[in-house]
Amino acid sequence: IVSGDFYFFNKKGNLISFAATDCTGHGIPGALLSIIGYGILDQAINELKLNDPPEILNHLYSKVHRFLRWDQNETGLADDMDIALCTLDLKTGILNYAGVGSPLYHITEKGLIEYKPQNSNEVCGENDNCPFVSERIRMEQGDTIYLFSDGYADQFGGKLHKKYQSGRFKDLLLSIQSQSIPEQSDRLYEE
């Protein structure tokens, strides 16, 4: 089975970089784009030593669009990717999030906070300096963050075969907060 969704995780010293990515295209095209995207993320973080999410996204999208042969006339393959990308500094407890098409859910003792993506994958051409932005989030003990593709919200099911929707997904996440992460994983899988 091949997929266009992938996750990325890297830890160097006190800095953790992680992402959830959803590449467009189904089957083989989505899977190939996933392989390319993963390789470019790995290059940005491990070879180029980038640790700022906007810089990483700039590198990722310029390389992906170059590979897909995007140009100013919008010719080339139409595939692309949505991503929620974070870096967490374990010393300071600061999480930097930058997203393109994918939000981040942050659950605190006060409830669920949704950070919507503020970036567009269409702004980055082959040689442009992309104006990606990120959000700085102070993490506290007991906070939970969720990165995900559109798989839950877009899943069809139930008696009426309707989409699950993001509201139900948020409610589910809030309802399982008291459980351990492995238990949450089981509950998400069951749902």
Side-chain angles (χ1 to χ4, degrees):
I1 298 173
V2 295
S3 172
D5 292 358
F6 72 91
Y7 66 91
F8 180 87
F9 182 87
N10 188 74
K11 182 176 189 277
K12 284 204 174 177
N14 289 312
L15 191 66
I16 300 173
S17 302
F18 53 99
T21 308
D22 181 5
C23 297
T24 61
H26 297 281
I28 301 297
L32 288 174
L33 190 54
S34 291
I35 292 167
I36 293 163
Y38 187 93
I40 295 170
L41 274 177
D42 185 61
Q43 176 191 49
I45 292 168
N46 290 312
E47 292 178 28
L48 300 177
K49 310 291 187 214
L50 301 178
N51 59 22
D52 181 43
E55 289 178 4
I56 296 167
L57 288 181
N58 185 17
H59 180 74
L60 173 67
Y61 280 95
S62 67
K63 296 290 185 187
V64 166
H65 290 169
R66 183 175 301 146
F67 174 79
L68 297 175
R69 292 192 171 92
W70 275 33
D71 60 25
Q72 292 178 349
N73 297 326
E74 296 183 20
T75 61
L77 300 174
D79 291 327
D80 217 327
M81 61 179 63
D82 292 339
I83 186 171
L85 172 66
C86 298
T87 57
L88 174 63
D89 186 324
L90 297 174
K91 278 187 177 179
T92 65
I94 299 293
L95 178 92
N96 283 313
Y97 154 73
V100 177
S102 293
L104 174 139
Y105 292 170
H106 178 201
I107 297 182
T108 70
E109 61 184 26
K110 297 177 184 175
L112 187 146
I113 303 164
E114 178 178 359
Y115 292 89
K116 296 186 179 188
Q118 298 183 28
N119 302 294
S120 168
N121 56 21
E122 298 167 355
V123 299
C124 185
E126 185 173 324
N127 297 311
D128 294 339
N129 186 15
C130 303
F132 292 114
V133 296
S134 64
E135 301 229 23
R136 292 174 49 90
I137 304 165
R138 163 120 358 238
M139 299 296 295
E140 301 293 339
Q141 187 71 29
D143 287 1
T144 310
I145 57 167
Y146 295 92
L147 308 181
F148 47 89
S149 72
D150 58 7
Y152 273 94
D154 288 352
Q155 183 68 43
F156 286 95
K159 293 178 184 178
L160 301 175
H161 196 65
K162 291 191 173 192
K163 281 190 177 184
Y164 192 79
Q165 300 292 339
S166 60
R168 282 182 65 193
F169 185 53
K170 291 176 189 177
D171 291 342
L172 174 63
L173 294 177
L174 286 168
S175 74
I176 62 176
Q177 279 310 291
S178 62
Q179 299 174 4
S180 69
I181 295 298
E183 290 172 327
Q184 288 185 38
S185 176
D186 290 344
R187 183 68 180 95
L188 287 164
Y189 180 77
E190 290 168 8
E191 188 71 15

